[in-house]
Amino acid sequence: MNEIRPPVVTILGHVDHGKTTLLDFIRKSSVAAKEHGGITQHIGAYQVEIPKESKSRESEANRGIPRKTRDDLAENRKITFIDTPGHAAFEQMRSRGAKVADIAVLVVAIDDGLMPQTLEAIKHIQKAKVSMIVVVNKIDLPGIDMKVQLAKIKKQLSDQKINLEEYGGDVPLLPLSAKTGKGVDKLLEMILLVSEMHEIKGDSTLAPAGVVIESSLDKFKGPIATILIRNGTLKKGEQILVGGVKGKVRGMFDWSGKSVDSAGPSVPVEVLGLESVSAVGAKLGKEAEVTDEAVQVMSLIEKLKEGETKTLKVVIKADKQGSLEAIQASLDKFNEEKKVIDFVFTGAGDIGEENIKLAATVGAIVVGFNVKVATNAAKLAENEHVLIRTYNIIYELLDDIEEVVNTLLEVGQLEEVLGKANIIAEFPFGKNERVAGCRLTEGAIAKGQKIRVIREGQVIGEGKLKSLRKVKEEVNKVEKGNDCGMLFDPPIDFAIGDIVESFRVI
Ligand code: GDP
């Protein structure tokens, strides 16, 4: 059952053009914020509900919109905003921000016009193929010649191939002041309108799919992740897998800090109960909306990492026998040392249902060159979670496959994780060494095994165990559920909250 869901909006633009001020104004003026006495948590995103009686509804934002549509609109008046994060992963998140969003609001300060980061943001938005709304901010600034400045900005936008509404395009432009709030209500109406026109829908009856937009390690609560639910519903108590990290939803909180039992499409929630810190951008469940090329390749790689098999099974369809042979010959070079690509089926013609059925059965991906995907095949692929990639340029096809194969080769010689432990305490040892007080969460860790210490998904040190103690007694092995003290050789600069993994190279 498809229902209208709130649009997910990201605000992009050059530094100091007023993104934070705008996000803050919207957050503070929202009904929910007032209900909660203005107390809001920062979880990387928030939702606002737009009151129906908003003044501008009857005026500008309703230009040419039939009454029926307007009434429908009145039923769903929530918007999810992603906060632009100011941490180190800013660049990365910014591009991801555009990808997880349905609508991007581009903020341009009226006195500055388009600046380098504005241009960068435009590129991200265009690449992610999300709808755009341009906001010209700071119109309250004294001494600004509105007419001249607006004309200048419109010209600059046109130069960037942005088709503004007033020139017959589909990108609205709104002058406003994030500081005084003038025009912000119009922006909110505009967002709802754009969302309505694009029929942004979700299905709350499905299993949850979502993306991590923020994650951290809390001293008391353990790993925390803000997951933006893209589709389906996430429920408290549910077992989840987030980009390879397992967990059980122990608690969920919305942006106002309120504990919630479930979160449906477009809802951002802070989730407690993951076993370790997950990466920003990691996915919950099967994210079916794979539109961006890089995301597609990433999900392919993730699939391979999860999979038991270490060969890439492919079904190849191409327009002509000749191109088929050329592709196969180029890909065969990867098989010289050992077989990494398994050609399950190759044939000329469009990608049909039977190709997807085969791919689903054997766990293959489907690669098309200069061919189309039949509608029923695309549907089946979505249901069966079969990845289809089509190309018109042979080098792009080869590049993508090469990336996947390289990952495969790496994974092929990866290690087997034997045990995992959380560092829950630390004790001084000798002159300047420290013992890590650990609790085993998986498998077993034994002396002599290789170990590594992981923080927020990053390896911070590798070595062996010099000493392994249960209470005061030196032991050879500690199993899941037990506590122990570990002394690393060489010493590793661990911290409480880090994870210790023991592994062997296969
Ligand atoms: P960001 O870097 O894009 O997040 O920009 P900020 O929201 O931090 O704003 C940068 C500066 O511009 C701050 O000093 C804000 O107070 C100021 N500012 C933001 N919006 C407005 C506005 O509408 N009018 C005026 N006069 N100043 C603004």
Side-chain angles (χ1 to χ4, degrees):
M1 232 248 322
N2 264 353
E3 70 246 35
I4 302 270
R5 63 171 171 82
V8 177
V9 179
T10 179
I11 298 189
L12 305 173
H14 195 71
V15 64
D16 278 349
H17 278 198
K19 299 179 292 295
T20 315
T21 310
L22 182 58
L23 280 161
D24 284 351
F25 185 90
I26 296 169
R27 187 202 313 250
K28 283 189 197 121
S29 58
S30 86
V31 183
K34 281 177 192 150
E35 274 171 9
H36 289 271
I39 301 161
T40 59
Q41 300 259 101
H42 177 86
I43 65 165
Y46 63 82
Q47 251 189 348
V48 293
E49 193 161 356
I50 317 303
K52 288 182 194 170
E53 63 278 11
S54 177
K55 258 191 263 154
S56 64
R57 271 181 64 65
E58 285 309 317
S59 54
E60 254 174 84
N62 283 338
R63 289 164 296 175
I65 309 297
R67 160 79 47 193
K68 160 100 183 47
T69 314
R70 278 195 260 156
D71 290 345
D72 287 349
L73 245 167
E75 294 312 307
N76 204 297
R77 304 190 48 85
K78 279 189 182 155
I79 303 174
T80 302
F81 283 95
I82 299 176
D83 290 15
T84 313
H87 55 74
F90 183 77
E91 285 295 312
Q92 208 184 354
M93 252 312 276
R94 193 161 50 163
S95 62
R96 282 199 174 115
K99 272 174 213 152
V100 292
D102 304 301
I103 299 171
V105 170
L106 181 73
V107 176
V108 182
I110 191 151
D111 54 337
D112 257 2
L114 270 63
M115 297 293 277
Q117 287 168 350
T118 323
L119 302 181
E120 221 176 277
I122 291 172
K123 262 193 226 142
H124 285 314
I125 297 168
Q126 288 170 336
K127 191 158 179 252
K129 297 191 179 81
V130 295
S131 310
M132 187 192 303
I133 297 175
V134 178
V135 152
V136 176
N137 190 29
K138 306 196 185 183
I139 56 167
D140 61 293
L141 279 176
I144 289 281
D145 188 335
M146 276 277 278
K147 238 183 171 173
V148 171
Q149 285 303 105
L150 270 179
K152 185 179 134 196
I153 290 171
K154 283 176 190 170
K155 163 85 173 54
Q156 289 177 327
L157 289 165
S158 298
D159 289 346
Q160 296 302 315
K161 301 199 170 55
I162 292 175
N163 295 320
L164 294 175
E165 251 182 5
E166 66 181 278
Y167 306 133
D170 58 357
V171 179
L173 180 144
L174 293 168
L176 59 75
S177 165
K179 197 169 176 180
T180 67
K182 188 171 179 235
V184 174
D185 54 346
K186 281 186 195 147
L187 171 64
L188 298 176
E189 291 297 340
M190 188 52 78
I191 291 170
L192 289 174
L193 225 108
V194 170
S195 144
E196 173 74 13
M197 282 190 305
H198 289 271
E199 300 214 313
I200 293 170
K201 289 190 169 165
D203 185 347
S204 53
T205 63
L206 295 178
V211 182
V212 174
I213 56 171
E214 234 175 59
S215 85
S216 61
L217 186 64
D218 185 278
K219 235 195 258 169
F220 304 106
K221 299 184 206 160
I224 301 179
T226 297
I227 300 178
L228 174 69
I229 308 298
R230 295 288 287 156
N231 209 357
T233 300
L234 178 65
K235 300 188 190 84
K236 206 166 159 179
E238 202 166 330
Q239 300 280 355
I240 51 172
L241 190 65
V242 181
V245 174
K246 276 190 288 188
K248 183 178 175 178
V249 183
R250 276 199 285 112
M252 284 200 290
F253 300 89
D254 71 7
W255 60 275
S256 67
K258 196 173 87 186
S259 168
V260 291
D261 289 333
S262 67
S266 296
V267 175
V269 271
E270 192 178 75
V271 174
L272 307 187
L274 285 165
E275 285 182 3
S276 59
V277 178
S278 52
V280 168
K283 292 195 192 100
L284 160 71
K286 297 261 185 275
E287 252 277 36
E289 296 176 52
V290 195
T291 46
D292 187 83
E293 294 207 348
V295 177
Q296 283 203 338
V297 174
M298 280 309 292
S299 80
L300 213 171
I301 290 171
E302 267 167 36
K303 269 191 187 168
L304 286 167
K305 280 185 175 163
E306 282 168 23
E308 323 246 281
T309 149
K310 299 299 177 211
T311 57
L312 175 65
K313 294 196 168 90
V314 284
V315 168
I316 305 179
K317 297 295 295 279
D319 53 345
K320 293 186 293 241
Q321 193 61 32
S323 20
L324 203 57
E325 279 163 19
I327 293 167
Q328 199 168 347
S330 305
L331 291 178
D332 243 345
K333 76 169 193 229
F334 295 116
N335 285 337
E336 274 167 16
E337 272 183 33
K338 67 175 189 170
K339 189 168 167 184
V340 283
I341 299 182
D342 188 354
F343 301 99
V344 179
F345 177 81
T346 60
D350 286 345
I351 296 169
E353 253 183 322
E354 67 287 354
N355 301 133
I356 306 297
K357 275 186 199 150
L358 172 67
T361 312
V362 301
I365 62 162
V366 180
V367 176
F369 180 71
N370 276 341
V371 293
K372 288 203 269 311
V373 184
T375 316
N376 52 4
K379 265 213 187 102
L380 185 65
E382 205 178 309
N383 290 337
E384 299 284 335
H385 303 298
V386 170
L387 189 76
I388 306 177
R389 301 280 281 126
T390 58
Y391 302 86
N392 299 311
I393 300 167
I394 199 154
Y395 294 109
E396 284 182 3
L397 184 156
L398 296 178
D399 275 359
D400 275 7
I401 301 278
E402 184 167 355
E403 188 177 342
V404 174
V405 168
N406 285 338
T407 310
L408 244 180
L409 293 175
E410 273 171 33
V411 175
Q413 45 169 286
L414 258 188
E415 339 76 8
E416 182 187 3
V417 173
L418 303 168
K420 270 193 187 178
N422 291 338
I423 301 185
I424 54 174
E426 61 166 277
F427 311 100
F429 180 82
K431 262 200 192 126
N432 42 21
E433 282 186 272
R434 290 180 301 150
V435 170
C438 300
R439 178 160 300 161
L440 267 285
T441 56
E442 259 176 53
I445 293 185
K447 256 201 210 162
Q449 288 173 352
K450 290 187 173 179
I451 61 98
R452 62 166 88 86
V453 176
I454 299 166
R455 183 177 306 158
E456 297 189 16
Q458 306 278 340
V459 176
I460 61 151
E462 270 193 20
K464 282 189 175 172
L465 291 180
K466 192 150 90 180
S467 159
L468 183 63
R469 285 189 182 187
K470 241 174 155 173
V471 197
K472 291 260 150 80
E473 198 180 321
E474 190 73 23
V475 293
N476 283 325
K477 191 175 180 182
V478 179
E479 286 178 338
K480 184 180 167 178
N482 291 300
D483 292 352
C484 62
M486 295 184 193
L487 190 61
F488 305 120
D489 178 29
I492 296 172
D493 189 21
F494 66 84
I496 292 173
D498 290 350
I499 292 162
V500 182
E501 241 178 37
S502 68
F503 63 97
R504 71 184 173 105
V505 177
I506 300 163

